[in-house]
Amino acid sequence: MKGVVFSCFTPYQLMNSIYYAVKLKKYDSYLIWQDYANYGIDLDKFKSYFKEIMVIPYYMNKDRMKKQYLKCLHSGYLFGVSREYVFLKRFEHSIMVIFSDQEPSCNRQIRCFCRCDGNKAMLVEEGIGTYCGEPQHLSMKVKLIYSVLGIRTQPYIGASEHISTMIVKHPELLDKKRYKCNSFVLQSNMLFDNQFLRELNIIDFLNKEKKSTKKTALFLGGPLQERGVSEGEYIERLKEIFKILNDDYDIIVKPHPRENIEYYNEIPNISIMKCGEYKWIPFELMIKKMRFEILLTAVSSAAFNAYEIKDDIKVIYLYKLFKDLAFDDQIILKYGKMDNIYIPLNIEMLKTCISSPLLERDIHLDIEDDDIVYINKIMGD
């Protein structure tokens, strides 16, 4: 069997998979959706893009033994009896697209897939983590469990010897010497493709008139507890940040699907973006339909995507204001040299960033297709 297989585990990866399935429609596309965060996405809305969809359901709510068994089945020693193994063994002279080989299941899948005749694995950028070379912060307990279950991961994204090509928006920012792959290809930006976004048609709930005369500051949340920030520190720091903005800005918070949004109830004078059945939707798909003057976030990749599409916003990265945040900021520091991107070191500097005038800049929303041409070539066309 021949085709293009996409394996993803976040909504943004899913949208990119759909984009490539549309652009590569001359081939059969297949999807492995790993619902590890229980996003609640109705995949029936997207089944027309794929010949077959395999779902690995959310299992983190199982009892301890069942959970470890399922980890071993999908990522460890038992992978050889899993549905994914049987599914992937059907392919020859095909391509598998993943977004992170640090995810143990994806790492296991490409090892299996690339053992078949003529198959190749490609890694597509999923965000700033692709450039950072940021290691996973695994506790000794997790490392021990991984060892017992036969689970392997990679020291940084793109490190796997099974990846033949990396497809990224900014190849010039990669330290190419550290990767085993031999091809680096410019990625098409689906956010530049208005026709695709219209056909996707899942963001109509944003069409609302704004009644306030204030400017808008948009905050992109994130599961910072996964990076070492305590809930208490997060809440208190956000109160301090938002208090600076309250006089001149309406503050809208777009929570991350994996974070606990209950703690935002403790913060006054903010509005929580409610997306109904589309609470999982990546912020990137909303950018063009939203009006805001300042975009604030701790570490979200989505802020860069907004910066590349909208020339009338300031982006403020707040990660240096959280003392316990574990984060490799090499790529953000490179972006931080660009006009209208700020990385304040303290609250006083944040005030200066907010009051600084917006600098004029030009953006080019050209749709590149280097990756589509490249994949067609690999597939034999």
Side-chain angles (χ1 to χ4, degrees):
M1 190 164 70
K2 185 175 182 179
V4 183
V5 183
F6 300 91
S7 183
C8 53
F9 53 91
T10 73
Y12 186 63
Q13 294 173 7
L14 175 61
M15 294 299 103
N16 267 291
S17 298
I18 293 171
Y19 180 74
Y20 278 107
V22 169
K23 295 301 178 181
L24 299 167
K25 57 185 175 184
K26 66 173 70 174
Y27 312 111
D28 291 331
S29 292
Y30 301 82
L31 175 68
I32 300 176
W33 169 244
Q34 304 171 82
D35 195 16
Y36 293 152
N38 197 24
Y39 287 108
I41 300 174
D42 181 6
L43 290 178
D44 283 344
K45 297 180 184 295
F46 310 117
K47 63 182 181 182
S48 63
Y49 298 107
F50 303 99
K51 185 171 183 179
E52 189 174 339
I53 296 178
M54 174 181 289
V55 177
I56 302 174
Y58 178 71
Y59 58 77
M60 299 309 288
N61 58 343
K62 304 291 185 183
D63 64 65
R64 184 179 301 175
M65 292 302 296
K66 181 72 170 180
K67 185 164 58 176
Q68 300 308 327
Y69 162 73
L70 291 171
K71 285 182 181 179
C72 189
L73 178 67
H74 297 302
S75 308
Y77 289 128
L78 294 179
F79 185 78
V81 297
S82 68
R83 291 185 300 130
E84 303 97 279
Y85 177 85
V86 175
F87 175 72
L88 293 172
K89 282 296 184 181
R90 295 157 55 190
F91 292 90
E92 292 182 347
H93 303 287
S94 297
I95 289 173
M96 185 169 192
V97 174
I98 65 167
F99 298 85
S100 174
D101 52 338
Q102 276 191 327
E103 170 57 42
S105 57
C106 292
N107 189 49
R108 179 68 74 166
Q109 288 167 18
I110 58 173
R111 287 168 58 195
C112 167
F113 186 80
C114 289
R115 291 193 184 111
C116 298
D117 188 31
N119 286 348
K120 294 182 181 294
M122 300 182 180
L123 185 140
V124 172
E125 174 187 330
E126 69 157 359
I128 57 177
T130 305
Y131 301 93
C132 288
E134 185 177 15
Q136 286 187 315
H137 301 282
L138 303 178
S139 66
M140 289 303 298
K141 178 182 177 181
V142 171
K143 289 179 181 178
L144 177 60
I145 292 173
Y146 277 16
S147 177
V148 171
L149 299 180
I151 295 175
R152 291 175 56 185
T153 184
Q154 295 295 335
Y156 51 88
I157 293 176
S160 172
E161 69 274 17
H162 299 292
I163 294 172
S164 63
T165 304
M166 291 182 66
I167 300 175
V168 296
K169 295 189 185 78
H170 297 283
E172 73 280 3
L173 296 180
L174 289 175
D175 180 5
K176 298 181 179 65
K177 295 179 181 178
R178 69 191 313 216
Y179 301 103
K180 297 181 177 69
C181 68
N182 50 29
S183 298
F184 300 88
V185 179
L186 182 66
Q187 182 185 5
S188 301
N189 193 332
M190 66 173 176
L191 304 177
F192 294 174
D193 194 327
N194 291 324
Q195 181 178 349
F196 169 72
L197 296 176
R198 283 194 300 269
E199 290 175 358
L200 202 57
N201 192 32
I202 57 174
I203 49 176
D204 285 343
F205 61 84
L206 288 176
N207 294 326
K208 294 181 179 179
E209 292 291 332
K210 180 181 175 182
K211 297 179 181 179
S212 173
T213 57
K214 288 184 178 181
K215 296 178 181 179
T216 299
L218 180 64
F219 175 76
L220 298 182
L224 296 194
Q225 286 69 46
E226 296 175 8
R227 294 180 176 271
V229 178
S230 69
E231 187 171 307
E233 181 193 358
Y234 189 58
I235 293 170
E236 291 308 309
R237 183 58 75 183
L238 288 185
K239 286 181 178 178
E240 196 173 2
I241 293 167
F242 293 160
K243 186 177 180 180
I244 298 171
L245 292 160
N246 275 140
D247 288 342
D248 300 312
Y249 291 86
D250 291 320
I251 301 170
I252 299 176
V253 173
K254 167 66 171 71
H256 189 280
R258 287 205 313 275
E259 72 176 320
N260 173 19
I261 66 172
E262 295 300 320
Y263 45 57
Y264 288 117
N265 294 333
E266 301 183 33
I267 303 175
N269 302 317
I270 63 172
S271 299
I272 309 297
M273 185 182 294
K274 301 186 186 302
C275 304
E277 64 176 312
Y278 294 116
K279 63 182 180 181
W280 54 267
I281 191 172
F283 167 71
E284 287 87 342
L285 296 188
M286 305 178 183
I287 294 171
K288 289 186 177 180
K289 285 203 171 188
M290 296 188 69
R291 179 70 190 176
F292 52 90
E293 285 73 30
I294 294 180
L295 179 58
L296 305 103
T297 186
V299 296
S300 175
S301 300
F304 287 142
N305 288 320
Y307 179 81
E308 292 183 338
I309 292 174
K310 298 175 78 71
D311 60 2
D312 57 352
I313 62 169
K314 285 192 284 188
V315 173
I316 302 178
Y317 270 93
L318 303 168
Y319 63 93
K320 288 187 178 292
L321 304 186
F322 297 92
K323 64 178 181 179
D324 295 324
L325 181 60
F327 180 61
D328 181 344
D329 63 353
Q330 298 174 50
I331 187 68
I332 289 185
L333 290 176
K334 290 181 180 179
Y335 269 95
K337 298 175 183 178
M338 299 181 182
D339 290 342
N340 301 327
I341 293 183
Y342 300 92
I343 308 171
L345 302 177
N346 51 53
I347 290 294
E348 288 304 313
M349 190 178 291
L350 172 62
K351 294 177 182 178
T352 302
C353 297
I354 292 170
S355 61
S356 297
L358 186 73
L359 302 177
E360 289 189 14
R361 62 188 183 90
D362 294 323
I363 57 175
H364 303 283
L365 304 182
D366 299 324
I367 302 175
E368 306 289 349
D369 63 352
D370 295 31
D371 47 355
I372 307 301
V373 172
Y374 180 84
I375 293 173
N376 280 323
K377 182 179 178 180
I378 296 298
M379 291 293 286
D381 289 356

